[in-house]
Amino acid sequence: MGSIGKRLADNLKSKEFRNYLLSTHFWGPVANWGIPIAAIADINKDPKYISGKMTVALCLYSAMFMRFALKVQPRNMLLFACHFTNEGAQLIQLSRFLKHEFSTNKEK
């Protein structure tokens, strides 16, 4: 167990890891995590506040960036994870929006 910890510590101290922490390959996805976190936080809020157009746009945006994250070299799995999470959260929001807008028991 000690050798695993030592290897992890050595990797964290390496020049490659420090360069990664200072790159847009790291900070871009970290900054993007605000979008899925906000969508997840809003899941229990009233669906009347959901913008259908914006939710569809965010679904398309995340789908395109998931593909980009896999195609860019080296692959950016942190970016992929962020947009995969956002895609799921936005699809939940979209289903809530559609249910709210088109439910048969909608009050007039």
Side-chain angles (χ1 to χ4, degrees), residues 3-81:
S3 66
I4 294 173
K6 178 153 177 40
R7 280 196 324 220
L8 179 62
D10 289 342
N11 282 336
L12 293 177
K13 293 178 189 176
S14 71
K15 182 171 175 42
E16 291 83 19
F17 187 73
R18 286 193 312 269
N19 287 340
Y20 173 68
L21 287 180
L22 297 174
S23 72
T24 56
H25 219 68
F26 175 76
W27 286 107
V30 168
N32 264 327
W33 272 102
I35 299 169
I37 290 170
I40 292 167
D42 289 347
I43 284 177
N44 292 324
K45 292 186 179 176
D46 193 341
K48 71 180 180 182
Y49 297 112
I50 299 172
S51 167
K53 290 179 183 179
M54 182 54 101
T55 303
V56 169
L58 285 169
C59 285
L60 295 172
Y61 162 78
S62 282
M64 287 188 292
F65 270 90
M66 278 192 295
R67 183 179 186 283
F68 171 80
L70 294 176
K71 294 293 183 183
V72 70
Q73 292 299 323
R75 286 186 177 155
N76 193 336
M77 296 312 287
L78 185 57
L79 183 65
F80 180 81

